[in-house]
Amino acid sequence: MQMANVAIYTAPGYTASSWTSAFGQPHVVTYPETNIHILQAFDVVLIHSARQDWQNLVTQLHSTKHVIVISQQLSLAELQLALTLGAKGYLDAGSSSEHFVQSVSSVRNGALWLPASLLNQLNQFFSQIIPPKTDWASFESRLSKREYEVASLARKGLSNKDIATSLNITERTVKQHLTATFAKLGIKDRLQLILLL
């Protein structure tokens, strides 16, 4: 990932050291500045929901840029609004630099990026409103034993770190199993994994 490709639209007083360690010197635009004409060189734009104009920015930029909304207080309602407006990612503003890098990489590769903490809530919500089409266990034959274990925990909303701890493996191994699982099941991200109900 080229660090120069990331621009961040934020509100006064809302910056994090993880942004700098993730992207070097990202281009930061602080409210009320909105100059979107400088975005020619950027393909990923992070927009902080503390900005009063964040919804307008997402609406304006989502058709030409990969947009990720970052938030001080994650909520399903704000996540739903961000995705409805065209964002491809939703992230805690206080996330680690590694998560920022992963989120940008994911959306650039066509996947959605959602916080693990909300995935579990989404899973519970979907399981209540969508009748099961397929028993999740039916996917077991298409995956290795370990891939199935990792994917089952990911579907419950556990983070890679929590999965690694639970199964006594490394986070890198978790990522490898999830990548293999996504390929075998023809999906791109965790949300699609959850929807395989």
Side-chain angles (χ1 to χ4, degrees):
M1 183 191 65
Q2 298 174 355
M3 293 187 186
N5 283 344
V6 178
I8 301 174
Y9 281 71
T10 189
Y14 290 94
T15 57
S17 60
S18 57
W19 302 354
T20 304
S21 52
F23 307 118
Q25 292 297 324
H27 184 80
V28 177
V29 181
T30 305
Y31 187 83
E33 185 185 350
T34 59
N35 186 359
I36 61 172
H37 305 293
I38 49 90
L39 292 178
Q40 304 287 40
F42 302 96
D43 61 350
V44 180
V45 180
L46 280 64
I47 301 173
H48 201 299
S49 64
R51 286 182 65 110
Q52 294 177 17
D53 62 347
W54 77 270
Q55 295 174 41
N56 289 334
L57 285 171
V58 174
T59 302
Q60 283 182 297
L61 298 173
H62 82 273
S63 62
T64 58
K65 307 293 175 188
H66 299 293
V67 175
I68 298 172
V69 172
I70 51 180
S71 177
Q72 290 300 117
Q73 190 166 1
L74 300 176
S75 73
L76 279 175
E78 189 175 67
L79 165 63
Q80 181 181 8
L81 179 56
L83 295 179
T84 301
L85 294 172
K88 298 300 181 194
Y90 183 67
L91 183 66
D92 189 325
S95 294
S96 68
S97 57
E98 181 185 6
H99 280 154
F100 273 97
V101 170
Q102 290 172 351
S103 68
V104 168
S105 176
S106 291
V107 300
R108 289 180 81 190
N109 288 321
L112 287 175
W113 180 271
L114 306 178
S117 60
L118 293 182
L119 282 174
N120 191 35
Q121 293 178 50
L122 281 172
N123 191 24
Q124 292 171 0
F125 171 71
F126 285 133
S127 65
Q128 290 171 4
I129 65 164
I130 301 173
K133 295 184 227 164
T134 310
D135 182 7
W136 168 244
S138 69
F139 292 103
E140 188 169 8
S141 63
R142 295 163 65 182
L143 305 173
S144 72
K145 180 177 183 246
R146 187 60 96 181
E147 287 166 355
Y148 183 77
E149 290 172 343
V150 169
S152 295
L153 293 174
R155 287 183 74 248
K156 293 178 182 175
L158 272 68
S159 68
N160 287 358
K161 184 176 182 179
D162 290 339
I163 294 170
T165 302
S166 175
L167 297 178
N168 200 25
I169 56 178
T170 66
E171 284 187 67
R172 183 176 179 182
T173 302
V174 170
K175 290 177 192 173
Q176 290 171 341
H177 286 313
L178 285 175
T179 299
T181 297
F182 294 165
K184 287 180 180 180
L185 300 181
I187 59 177
K188 288 186 175 180
D189 53 45
R190 285 172 179 250
L191 182 57
Q192 289 183 329
L193 185 66
I194 285 174
L195 291 173
L196 290 175
L197 291 169

